Amino acid sequence: MQISVSYLTSFYSKEKTINLITKTTADYLHADLMDGLFVANKNFNINEIVPLLKETKIPLDIHLMVLDPIIYIPILKELKPEYITFHLEATKDIIKTIQVLKEAHIKVGLSLKPETEILELMPYLSFIDLVLVMSVEPGAGGQEFLPNTPERLKTLLNYREKYNLNFKIEVDGGINNNTISLIKEADIAVVGSYICKAKNYELQITKLKNIINDIDYLS
Ligand code: DX5
Ligand code: ZN
Protein backbone atom coordinates (compact mmCIF):
# COMPACT_ATOMS: atom_id res chain seq x y z
CA MET A 1 0.00 0.00 0.00
CA GLN A 2 1.21 3.50 -0.81
CA ILE A 3 0.90 6.52 1.45
CA SER A 4 -0.29 9.90 0.20
CA VAL A 5 0.28 12.61 2.80
CA SER A 6 -2.25 15.44 3.20
CA TYR A 7 -0.83 18.74 4.51
CA LEU A 8 -4.30 20.04 5.50
CA THR A 9 -3.96 19.68 9.29
CA SER A 10 -0.60 20.58 10.73
CA PHE A 11 1.15 22.64 13.42
CA TYR A 12 2.93 24.65 10.74
CA SER A 13 2.23 26.78 7.68
CA LYS A 14 1.39 25.08 4.36
CA GLU A 15 4.89 25.91 3.08
CA LYS A 16 6.69 24.36 6.04
CA THR A 17 4.41 21.31 6.16
CA ILE A 18 4.87 20.63 2.43
CA ASN A 19 8.59 21.05 2.87
CA LEU A 20 8.67 18.54 5.74
CA ILE A 21 6.59 16.02 3.74
CA THR A 22 9.00 16.40 0.81
CA LYS A 23 11.81 15.11 3.06
CA THR A 24 9.99 11.84 3.83
CA THR A 25 9.46 8.62 1.90
CA ALA A 26 5.79 9.51 1.24
CA ASP A 27 4.65 8.13 -2.11
CA TYR A 28 2.45 11.13 -2.89
CA LEU A 29 1.70 14.63 -1.66
CA HIS A 30 -2.09 14.86 -1.32
CA ALA A 31 -3.30 18.41 -1.99
CA ASP A 32 -6.82 19.02 -0.64
CA LEU A 33 -8.25 22.04 -2.43
CA MET A 34 -11.55 23.32 -0.99
CA ASP A 35 -13.51 26.19 -2.52
CA GLY A 36 -15.96 27.07 0.29
CA LEU A 37 -18.85 26.08 -2.00
CA PHE A 38 -18.68 22.30 -2.41
CA VAL A 39 -17.55 22.15 1.22
CA ALA A 40 -17.86 24.87 3.88
CA ASN A 41 -14.13 25.57 4.20
CA LYS A 42 -12.05 27.45 1.67
CA ASN A 43 -8.31 26.80 1.87
CA PHE A 44 -6.71 27.96 -1.34
CA ASN A 45 -6.23 30.73 -3.78
CA ILE A 46 -5.18 29.36 -7.13
CA ASN A 47 -2.44 32.01 -7.61
CA GLU A 48 -0.87 31.12 -4.27
CA ILE A 49 -1.20 27.35 -4.45
CA VAL A 50 0.32 26.81 -7.89
CA PRO A 51 3.77 28.29 -7.10
CA LEU A 52 3.74 26.51 -3.73
CA LEU A 53 3.04 23.07 -5.16
CA LYS A 54 5.36 23.59 -8.11
CA GLU A 55 8.36 23.22 -5.82
CA THR A 56 7.60 19.71 -4.61
CA LYS A 57 9.44 16.71 -6.02
CA ILE A 58 6.98 14.12 -4.65
CA PRO A 59 4.28 13.04 -7.15
CA LEU A 60 1.16 15.14 -6.68
CA ASP A 61 -2.24 13.70 -5.89
CA ILE A 62 -4.74 16.58 -6.07
CA HIS A 63 -8.14 16.19 -4.39
CA LEU A 64 -10.58 18.83 -5.64
CA MET A 65 -13.40 19.51 -3.21
CA VAL A 66 -14.81 22.19 -5.49
CA LEU A 67 -17.88 22.88 -7.56
CA ASP A 68 -17.26 22.87 -11.29
CA PRO A 69 -13.82 21.20 -11.17
CA ILE A 70 -13.27 21.59 -14.91
CA ILE A 71 -12.41 25.29 -14.57
CA TYR A 72 -9.31 24.52 -12.46
CA ILE A 73 -7.71 22.01 -14.83
CA PRO A 74 -5.98 24.45 -17.26
CA ILE A 75 -3.98 26.04 -14.44
CA LEU A 76 -3.42 22.91 -12.33
CA LYS A 77 -1.99 21.04 -15.29
CA GLU A 78 1.09 23.30 -15.01
CA LEU A 79 1.94 21.30 -11.88
CA LYS A 80 2.06 18.05 -13.86
CA PRO A 81 0.13 16.17 -11.15
CA GLU A 82 -0.07 12.41 -11.39
CA TYR A 83 -3.73 12.42 -10.33
CA ILE A 84 -6.50 14.96 -10.18
CA THR A 85 -9.54 13.67 -8.33
CA PHE A 86 -12.90 15.40 -8.41
CA HIS A 87 -16.24 14.63 -6.79
CA LEU A 88 -19.08 12.83 -8.49
CA GLU A 89 -21.48 15.17 -6.69
CA ALA A 90 -19.70 18.37 -7.86
CA THR A 91 -20.54 18.42 -11.55
CA LYS A 92 -23.06 17.30 -14.13
CA ASP A 93 -20.29 17.13 -16.73
CA ILE A 94 -18.50 14.07 -15.41
CA ILE A 95 -17.62 12.64 -18.84
CA LYS A 96 -16.46 16.03 -20.12
CA THR A 97 -14.25 16.53 -17.03
CA ILE A 98 -12.74 13.06 -17.53
CA GLN A 99 -12.01 13.94 -21.18
CA VAL A 100 -10.34 17.25 -20.30
CA LEU A 101 -8.09 15.51 -17.75
CA LYS A 102 -7.15 12.80 -20.24
CA GLU A 103 -6.32 15.40 -22.90
CA ALA A 104 -4.01 17.02 -20.33
CA HIS A 105 -2.35 13.59 -19.70
CA ILE A 106 -3.39 13.59 -16.05
CA LYS A 107 -4.68 10.42 -14.41
CA VAL A 108 -8.36 10.72 -13.51
CA GLY A 109 -9.70 10.16 -10.00
CA LEU A 110 -13.35 10.20 -9.04
CA SER A 111 -14.46 10.56 -5.45
CA LEU A 112 -17.73 10.28 -3.62
CA LYS A 113 -19.04 11.43 -0.28
CA PRO A 114 -19.60 8.78 2.41
CA GLU A 115 -23.37 8.67 1.86
CA THR A 116 -23.30 8.47 -1.96
CA GLU A 117 -23.96 4.96 -3.27
CA ILE A 118 -20.90 3.21 -4.76
CA LEU A 119 -23.22 2.06 -7.56
CA GLU A 120 -23.31 5.65 -8.86
CA LEU A 121 -19.69 5.23 -9.98
CA MET A 122 -20.57 2.33 -12.25
CA PRO A 123 -20.98 4.28 -15.55
CA TYR A 124 -17.49 5.79 -15.17
CA LEU A 125 -15.36 2.97 -13.74
CA SER A 126 -13.95 1.83 -17.07
CA PHE A 127 -12.78 5.38 -17.97
CA ILE A 128 -10.98 6.39 -14.79
CA ASP A 129 -7.67 5.58 -13.09
CA LEU A 130 -8.59 5.98 -9.43
CA VAL A 131 -11.54 5.92 -7.06
CA LEU A 132 -11.10 7.98 -3.88
CA VAL A 133 -13.32 6.56 -1.15
CA MET A 134 -14.03 9.20 1.49
CA SER A 135 -13.85 7.68 4.96
CA VAL A 136 -14.89 11.00 6.55
CA GLU A 137 -17.20 13.77 5.38
CA PRO A 138 -15.09 15.91 3.00
CA GLY A 139 -14.15 19.36 4.26
CA ALA A 140 -11.79 19.00 7.22
CA GLY A 141 -8.87 17.01 8.56
CA GLY A 142 -8.74 15.30 11.94
CA GLN A 143 -12.16 13.59 11.81
CA GLU A 144 -12.95 10.00 12.84
CA PHE A 145 -12.86 7.17 10.33
CA LEU A 146 -16.42 6.21 9.36
CA PRO A 147 -17.35 2.59 10.13
CA ASN A 148 -19.16 2.00 6.79
CA THR A 149 -15.86 2.41 4.88
CA PRO A 150 -14.64 -1.24 4.86
CA GLU A 151 -17.95 -2.37 3.38
CA ARG A 152 -17.77 0.32 0.67
CA LEU A 153 -14.20 -0.66 -0.11
CA LYS A 154 -15.27 -4.31 -0.43
CA THR A 155 -18.06 -3.38 -2.88
CA LEU A 156 -15.56 -1.55 -5.04
CA LEU A 157 -13.02 -4.39 -4.90
CA ASN A 158 -15.77 -6.76 -6.02
CA TYR A 159 -16.69 -4.55 -9.01
CA ARG A 160 -13.06 -4.27 -9.99
CA GLU A 161 -12.61 -8.00 -9.99
CA LYS A 162 -15.96 -8.90 -11.52
CA TYR A 163 -15.61 -6.49 -14.45
CA ASN A 164 -11.85 -6.91 -14.81
CA LEU A 165 -11.11 -3.20 -14.35
CA ASN A 166 -7.84 -1.48 -13.49
CA PHE A 167 -8.63 1.59 -11.41
CA LYS A 168 -6.69 2.08 -8.18
CA ILE A 169 -8.51 2.52 -4.88
CA GLU A 170 -7.52 5.27 -2.47
CA VAL A 171 -9.12 5.82 0.95
CA ASP A 172 -9.11 9.27 2.58
CA GLY A 173 -9.86 10.42 6.13
CA GLY A 174 -9.28 9.33 9.71
CA ILE A 175 -6.51 6.88 8.84
CA ASN A 176 -4.04 6.15 11.63
CA ASN A 177 -2.31 3.21 13.32
CA ASN A 178 -5.68 1.89 14.57
CA THR A 179 -7.67 2.18 11.34
CA ILE A 180 -5.19 1.40 8.56
CA SER A 181 -5.68 -2.35 8.96
CA LEU A 182 -9.39 -1.86 8.13
CA ILE A 183 -8.47 -0.72 4.61
CA LYS A 184 -5.56 -3.08 4.00
CA GLU A 185 -6.80 -3.98 0.50
CA ALA A 186 -6.71 -0.36 -0.71
CA ASP A 187 -3.87 0.70 -3.02
CA ILE A 188 -3.28 4.13 -1.49
CA ALA A 189 -4.07 5.53 1.97
CA VAL A 190 -4.36 9.29 2.40
CA VAL A 191 -3.05 10.26 5.81
CA GLY A 192 -3.14 13.79 7.23
CA SER A 193 -3.17 14.51 10.95
CA TYR A 194 -1.63 11.19 12.04
CA ILE A 195 1.52 12.28 10.20
CA CYS A 196 1.41 16.09 10.20
CA LYS A 197 0.39 16.48 13.84
CA ALA A 198 3.37 14.45 14.98
CA LYS A 199 6.94 15.60 15.52
CA ASN A 200 8.58 13.07 13.26
CA TYR A 201 6.71 12.59 9.97
CA GLU A 202 8.92 9.79 8.73
CA LEU A 203 8.47 7.79 11.92
CA GLN A 204 4.67 7.90 11.48
CA ILE A 205 4.95 6.71 7.86
CA THR A 206 7.22 3.87 8.97
CA LYS A 207 4.73 2.81 11.66
CA LEU A 208 1.91 2.62 9.11
CA LYS A 209 4.03 0.74 6.58
CA ASN A 210 5.11 -1.73 9.27
CA ILE A 211 1.50 -2.47 10.19
CA ILE A 212 0.69 -3.17 6.54
CA ASN A 213 3.83 -5.30 6.05
CA ASP A 214 2.96 -7.37 9.13
CA ILE A 215 -0.56 -8.00 7.79
CA ASP A 216 0.85 -9.02 4.38
CA TYR A 217 3.36 -11.32 6.06
CA LEU A 218 0.71 -13.06 8.16
CA SER A 219 -1.81 -13.52 5.35
C1 DX5 B 1 -10.85 15.71 4.16
C2 DX5 B 1 -9.61 15.59 3.30
C3 DX5 B 1 -8.59 14.62 3.80
C4 DX5 B 1 -8.03 14.95 5.16
C5 DX5 B 1 -7.26 13.79 5.72
O1 DX5 B 1 -11.76 16.52 3.53
O2 DX5 B 1 -9.97 15.16 2.00
O3 DX5 B 1 -7.55 14.45 2.84
O4 DX5 B 1 -7.19 16.06 5.13
O5 DX5 B 1 -6.87 14.18 7.00
P1 DX5 B 1 -6.96 13.20 8.26
O6 DX5 B 1 -5.99 12.09 8.00
O7 DX5 B 1 -6.57 14.10 9.38
O8 DX5 B 1 -8.38 12.72 8.34
ZN1 ZN C 1 -8.36 14.54 0.58
Side-chain angles (χ1 to χ4, degrees):
M1 184 195 285
Q2 293 184 302
I3 305 284
S4 187
V5 182
S6 160
Y7 59 79
L8 193 59
T9 311
S10 157
F11 293 128
Y12 312 116
S13 66
K14 278 193 199 105
E15 289 85 342
K16 181 159 182 193
T17 309
I18 292 169
N19 194 266
L20 287 172
I21 296 169
T22 310
K23 296 193 172 105
T24 70
T25 57
D27 298 290
Y28 293 97
L29 177 69
H30 182 87
D32 286 304
L33 305 186
M34 312 192 285
D35 67 353
L37 299 167
F38 181 70
V39 291
N41 290 329
K42 177 168 168 60
N43 76 333
F44 76 104
N45 164 323
I46 202 80
N47 299 318
E48 164 235 14
I49 206 74
V50 168
L52 190 63
L53 293 176
K54 223 173 197 161
E55 296 308 310
T56 174
K57 301 279 175 288
I58 300 185
L60 258 184
D61 162 34
I62 298 180
H63 178 190
L64 291 179
M65 286 168 272
V66 301
L67 282 183
D68 218 1
I70 206 161
I71 61 175
Y72 296 93
I73 300 169
I75 180 147
L76 291 176
K77 80 175 178 195
E78 277 181 39
L79 298 170
K80 299 193 172 48
E82 183 159 335
Y83 292 100
I84 290 187
T85 296
F86 64 99
H87 273 260
L88 187 75
E89 305 90 352
T91 175
K92 289 195 171 63
D93 279 337
I94 295 175
I95 291 290
K96 176 84 185 143
T97 309
I98 293 174
Q99 275 169 353
V100 171
L101 284 171
K102 285 194 185 254
E103 279 159 18
H105 305 287
I106 298 166
K107 290 184 187 161
V108 183
L110 202 48
S111 185
L112 69 185
K113 291 181 175 183
E115 72 282 5
T116 305
E117 291 291 334
I118 297 284
L119 191 65
E120 290 193 31
L121 287 170
M122 198 57 112
Y124 314 107
L125 288 178
S126 55
F127 305 116
I128 62 175
D129 302 287
L130 176 101
V131 174
L132 173 58
V133 178
M134 288 307 300
S135 39
V136 296
E137 201 55 51
Q143 303 180 74
E144 279 209 11
F145 182 88
L146 290 169
N148 69 344
T149 309
E151 191 190 312
R152 290 165 67 75
L153 173 60
K154 185 121 204 90
T155 306
L156 211 43
L157 287 161
N158 286 342
Y159 286 167
R160 184 164 74 176
E161 201 185 317
K162 185 168 168 197
Y163 300 108
N164 203 14
L165 296 168
N166 292 314
F167 59 85
K168 297 257 194 275
I169 304 176
E170 182 176 45
V171 182
D172 182 5
I175 298 172
N176 55 38
N177 56 328
N178 296 315
T179 53
I180 197 158
S181 58
L182 302 170
I183 56 144
K184 60 180 188 294
E185 285 154 304
D187 302 296
I188 308 170
V190 177
V191 187
S193 45
Y194 179 72
I195 294 173
C196 299
K197 290 204 109 181
K199 277 201 187 118
N200 184 335
Y201 290 14
E202 184 60 23
L203 181 64
Q204 301 301 92
I205 294 174
T206 308
K207 284 189 211 162
L208 295 176
K209 292 217 166 177
N210 285 344
I211 294 168
I212 292 299
N213 288 343
D214 286 351
I215 294 171
D216 287 347
Y217 180 74
L218 292 170
S219 60

